[in-house]
Amino acid sequence: TGESGSGKTTIARVISGMLPFEGGEMYIDGNPTSHYNAEEWEAYRRDQISFISQNYGILPGNTVLENVEAALRYYGANKADANSKALEILAKVELSGFETRKASKLSSGQKQRLSIARALAKPSRILVADEPTGNLDRANSDKIISLLALAAKDRLVILITHEFEEAEGD
C-alpha cells in the first residue's frame, strides 16, 4: 500500500519482471535474479506471472469469451477445453451473459473483471494486481477483492493498492 507516486506500480512491475531493478536482489524459487538474461525473464513472465493492471490489459476488439479463450489457448488448451474453461471462469467473475459482447463495450467494472478472468485463465503461480480497484465504485471494488481472495486459495496474490483497509480484508 502507499500514496500515489510512492512506487507501488514500479514494485509491481519489478516483481512481475517487466522492469529491471538496480539495487538489492529478488529471488525466485530461492535463486537470485540479478543475472537473469532476456530469455530467463521472458520465461519467468510467461510461466509464473499473471498481471492485472489499472489499464485492464484486455483485447478490446475481441468478445469477452474470445479474450479468455485466447489466454487459455496461448497456454496450451485445445479449442473445446478453452471454451469450456472460459465459460467457467466468466461465471466466477460474474460475466456470464456477456460472452458475445466486445470488450470495448464493457463498463469499467466489467473490464476489470474480464482482466481478472484473463489472469485466472493463465496457469501462473503468482498473480500481481496493480491497483485493480482504482477506478471502480465500492460495490465493484468489493467484487474484485472477493475474486482476488478466491484466487489466493490457489496461488500467491500480490495486491498493490493505495487503500490499506481494502488490502487488509476481513
Side-chain angles (χ1 to χ4, degrees), residues 63-79:
T63 67
V64 168
L65 183 60
E66 290 168 343
N67 261 271
V68 181
E69 285 177 334
L72 290 160
R73 293 293 303 264
Y74 184 80
Y75 292 98
N78 66 41
K79 188 174 175 103

Side-chain angles (χ1 to χ4, degrees), residues 50-120:
S50 290
F51 192 83
I52 301 169
S53 75
Q54 300 173 52
N55 300 325
Y56 313 122
I58 58 177
L59 305 170
N62 291 48
T63 67
V64 168
L65 183 60
E66 290 168 343
N67 261 271
V68 181
E69 285 177 334
L72 290 160
R73 293 293 303 264
Y74 184 80
Y75 292 98
N78 66 41
K79 188 174 175 103
D81 288 344
N83 181 268
S84 155
K85 183 71 172 167
L87 292 171
E88 178 185 316
I89 292 169
L90 289 172
K92 281 184 185 175
V93 299
E94 298 180 12
L95 286 175
S96 292
F98 293 90
E99 293 88 355
T100 60
R101 184 172 292 183
K102 293 283 187 192
S104 61
K105 301 295 183 187
L106 297 174
S107 71
S108 293
Q110 291 165 333
K111 286 177 182 174
Q112 195 61 283
R113 291 198 310 272
L114 179 55
S115 178
I116 290 173
R118 285 177 52 82
L120 292 175

